[in-house]
Amino acid sequence: MNFLAGSEPEPHFDQLYRELILDHYRLPRNNRVLEPADADLTQFNPVCGDEVRLTARIRDGAIEDIAFVGQGCSISQSSASMMTEAIRGRSLEDASTLASYFRAMILGEDVDEAAMGDLMSLQGTSRYPTRVKCAILAWDTLQKALGGTSGREDVGSSDPDSGG
Amino acid sequence: MPDQSQQLNVEAIRGDFPILSRVINGNPLVYLDSTATSQKPKQVIDTLADFYRTSNANVHRGIYTLSEESTAAYEGARDKTTEFINASSSSEIIFTRNTTESLNLLAFAWGRANLNEGDEVLVTLMEHHSNIVPWHMICAERGAILRFIPVTDDGLLDLTDIETLITERTKVVSFTHVSNVLGTVNPVRELVDRAHAVGAIAIVDGAQGAPHVAVDMREMDADFYVFSSHKMLGPTGVGVLYGKRALLDEMPPFLGGGEMIMEVREDGFTWKDPPWKFEAGTPNFADVVAFGAAIDYLTELGMDKIRQHEIEITDYALRQMRSLGEGVTLHGPPNAEDRGGVVSFAIETIHPHDIAQTLDWEGVQIRAGHHCAQPLMRRLNVPATARASFYVYNTNEDVDRLIDALKKAGELFGRQ
């Protein structure tokens, strides 16, 4: 058999790994570094080493262009990819609002599905507490980047990956 | 009467571990994370519960029956530990909270008294953070320098330039017995001898050693050997620091308080002899007593048989993983004889977290992450690995379940 060949979907699998997530994971959108950029921030999830670097160009209070590079699990990378699509061209205020909606959704709250669009595909993550940080990493980076932070830092300080 | 056969009776062993009857996400539990912590047999669980039910009282205190019983049980576990690792005397066995605390005790008590500007501490690139961070801390405090023995592509220590790494400036050589990521069994005696040849002390992190292979302190000749109860069928919250008596006598105390003192005056204090010198405050005596039961259990099984079982199951796992074909990378030494019961791996196109997540739905519990070994992750050029590890209660059927679950993950992530 071919180890990496396809098979029929599974209910468990499909709740978390929606087809749209896998699609963004395999073919990440806006997957590059913008140079020059008005905002440039890299953040890590120290638990698993997920990494997202965001670069953005800001014009007249709006996100003219945004791109990401990074490495990590399907949730963290697809989330970053979808985020760049969702916020390009939006005002900083809109982007910030969407970020708070996204955070609310991942923490299990009801949100306006129409406003979320494709981002709804990540809602399943809310049932997996260990994956919440994966989904939020890109949005966290965005909020910090637009808040003026730049450089590299870790998201959160706790590290459950102990016990070696 | 001890079992005279050459193989572990794994079926009987499994009957001793209540947790193995659990169902996880609709599937029977396959526990493959003993490197992080082992499961506990009923003999250990019962000893802990019985101690609290029948013998609980603080140790080394009262002149009354319960306290005497409790003290005898606590010191009895120290004697069992002494015998288990063939130390010269029970005064060489100090109980701590875990391996990490044992290493911190050494870095701060020994390091503060002995490290000076320009001295070097040598560790390896395959260390757990617990054998790196305390040395970073004490080196910064003392102006000493932390250096690393590199690792080969095959996951072995690269000793090519060892003579330029272990020099007259080296004061400490601290290294892992068995890698928690690669499974690599290191050449302990060779490194101990090289450390001693330049007058350095040798510290061995036995967190993945003592639970899996027979260790003999008099034969190994390490100055310090540290390990944890919870990785060897015992309770959490108990670590062991073995140290040669002469070094324990020279080393200043670390934590101060009750239990460790001889006399306290307004102008100072004197302390007890080892091991109590290093056991300030009420020790975790109940868990130590249960740790004694874990040592009894392992001794009854036989450490040589345990080692043989782990080689066999690891060999089977390595062969089955290789049979999955392209797209699977195995980290660490290729031969099971050169490694402990640990298999770290990567699957092309599936991140370790996604592997662990999909395996969990099949009841298969593996670890994904950096395994508290970020310098090694950078050396392997991976952000994380997936890791399956084996112990006395694991079977080839567990490996089959792992492989089936990996095939399923491959199919699900592979579909277009």
Side-chain angles (χ1 to χ4, degrees), chain B residues 106-107 110-111 114-115 122 135 170-175 191-192 195-196 198-204 221-224 247 250-251:
Chain B
L106 290 172
W110 192 93
N114 293 284
L115 288 175
L122 184 63
W135 300 114
T170 312
K171 295 293 176 275
V172 178
V173 181
S174 188
F175 59 97
L191 286 168
V192 168
H196 288 165
V198 298
I201 60 161
I203 299 172
V204 180
D221 201 31
D223 298 291
F224 298 99
L247 288 163
E250 285 168 20
M251 191 161 76

Side-chain angles (χ1 to χ4, degrees), chain B residues 233-265:
Chain B
L233 312 183
T236 52
V238 177
V240 176
L241 164 60
Y242 156 84
K244 284 182 180 167
R245 176 62 194 260
L247 288 163
L248 295 178
D249 283 331
E250 285 168 20
M251 191 161 76
F254 178 45
L255 299 178
E259 300 268 356
M260 55 80 72
I261 49 91
M262 188 74 88
E263 187 193 10
V264 180
R265 299 177 308 272

Side-chain angles (χ1 to χ4, degrees), chain B residues 121-366:
Chain B
V121 172
L122 184 63
V123 297
T124 85
L125 215 48
M126 67 170 79
E127 296 311 309
H128 189 281
H129 293 161
S130 60
N131 198 21
I132 298 175
V133 179
W135 300 114
H136 268 313
M137 292 164 78
I138 195 66
C139 283
E141 184 181 315
R142 305 295 304 167
I145 298 155
L146 184 60
R147 302 187 71 186
F148 290 82
I149 299 175
V151 170
T152 68
D153 290 339
D154 261 354
L156 301 170
L157 288 181
D158 183 352
L159 301 180
T160 319
D161 296 320
I162 194 67
E163 282 170 16
T164 63
L165 284 170
I166 301 184
T167 68
E168 297 297 322
R169 291 186 300 278
T170 312
K171 295 293 176 275
V172 178
V173 181
S174 188
F175 59 97
T176 190
H177 185 173
V178 178
S179 163
N180 70 311
V181 177
L182 304 168
T184 315
V185 181
N186 285 320
V188 174
R189 186 58 204 245
E190 181 185 347
L191 286 168
V192 168
D193 288 346
R194 283 183 181 277
H196 288 165
V198 298
I201 60 161
I203 299 172
V204 180
D205 174 355
Q208 305 300 340
H212 304 282
V213 298
V215 290
D216 182 326
M217 289 305 110
R218 287 182 249 190
E219 194 177 281
M220 185 182 285
D221 201 31
D223 298 291
F224 298 99
Y225 190 88
V226 294
F227 54 103
S228 291
S229 150
H230 75 96
K231 294 187 198 285
M232 49 197 294
L233 312 183
T236 52
V238 177
V240 176
L241 164 60
Y242 156 84
K244 284 182 180 167
R245 176 62 194 260
L247 288 163
L248 295 178
D249 283 331
E250 285 168 20
M251 191 161 76
F254 178 45
L255 299 178
E259 300 268 356
M260 55 80 72
I261 49 91
M262 188 74 88
E263 187 193 10
V264 180
R265 299 177 308 272
E266 292 92 318
D267 64 347
F269 71 102
T270 55
W271 53 81
K272 283 183 185 156
D273 283 340
W276 304 291
K277 172 182 173 180
F278 298 102
E279 293 182 358
T282 294
N284 184 5
F285 52 84
D287 286 311
V288 166
V289 171
F291 174 50
I295 289 178
D296 288 343
Y297 191 90
L298 290 170
T299 305
E300 182 79 9
L301 295 183
M303 291 309 294
D304 290 336
K305 277 193 256 182
I306 291 172
R307 173 71 181 136
Q308 194 52 40
H309 171 70
E310 289 185 17
I311 289 175
E312 283 165 18
I313 193 168
T314 304
D315 181 59
Y316 181 70
L318 289 172
R319 282 188 287 118
Q320 294 302 106
M321 300 273 301
R322 284 188 192 113
S323 75
L324 288 172
E326 282 180 35
V328 178
T329 305
L330 298 174
H331 301 294
N335 297 317
E337 287 78 10
D338 300 327
R339 58 199 287 164
V342 184
V343 177
S344 271
F345 59 96
I347 297 177
E348 194 187 352
T349 71
I350 317 179
H351 189 273
H353 264 201
D354 294 321
I355 297 173
Q357 184 84 65
T358 33
L359 264 51
D360 181 46
W361 290 322
E362 304 299 316
V364 180
Q365 313 287 291
I366 66 158

Side-chain angles (χ1 to χ4, degrees), chain A:
Chain A
M1 62 162 278
N2 183 349
F3 175 53
L4 293 172
S7 80
E8 286 306 303
E10 289 242 321
H12 264 322
F13 187 86
D14 274 19
Q15 276 172 17
L16 181 61
Y17 297 114
R18 305 286 296 275
E19 194 49 53
L20 199 58
I21 292 177
L22 295 179
D23 183 57
H24 276 264
Y25 181 49
R26 293 183 188 118
L27 294 168
R29 322 295 200 265
N30 304 310
N31 194 217
R32 62 186 188 281
V33 175
L34 299 180
E35 285 177 303
D38 302 305
D40 182 349
L41 184 66
T42 303
Q43 293 225 302
F44 299 90
N45 178 347
V47 178
C48 51
D50 285 348
E51 178 181 345
V52 167
R53 179 183 176 191
L54 282 183
T55 45
R57 289 197 192 112
I58 317 291
R59 290 289 176 277
D60 304 326
I63 297 166
E64 184 186 68
D65 200 1
I66 183 160
F68 89 101
V69 290
Q71 57 177 3
C73 68
S74 56
I75 303 295
S76 69
Q77 301 303 299
S78 64
S79 178
S81 173
M82 282 185 219
M83 182 189 79
T84 60
E85 286 202 315
I87 64 168
R88 167 184 283 145
R90 293 216 191 199
S91 70
L92 293 175
E93 199 182 336
D94 276 4
S96 175
T97 305
L98 196 58
S100 52
Y101 286 171
F102 184 83
R103 190 177 291 269
M105 178 184 82
I106 296 298
L107 294 176
E109 294 170 31
D110 287 333
V111 287
D112 178 355
E113 299 196 11
M116 298 303 285
D118 285 356
L119 300 172
M120 284 307 294
S121 64
L122 284 157
Q123 191 183 31
T125 313
S126 65
R127 295 186 207 174
Y128 297 87
T130 54
R131 308 305 293 274
V132 163
K133 275 191 172 181
C134 309
I136 285 181
L137 178 63
W139 291 90
D140 214 73
T141 311
L142 175 75
Q143 285 179 303
K144 288 206 169 76
L146 299 184
T149 313
S150 66
R152 298 160 70 90
E153 63 176 277
D154 292 344
V155 175
S157 54
S158 68
D159 184 358
D161 194 20
S162 62

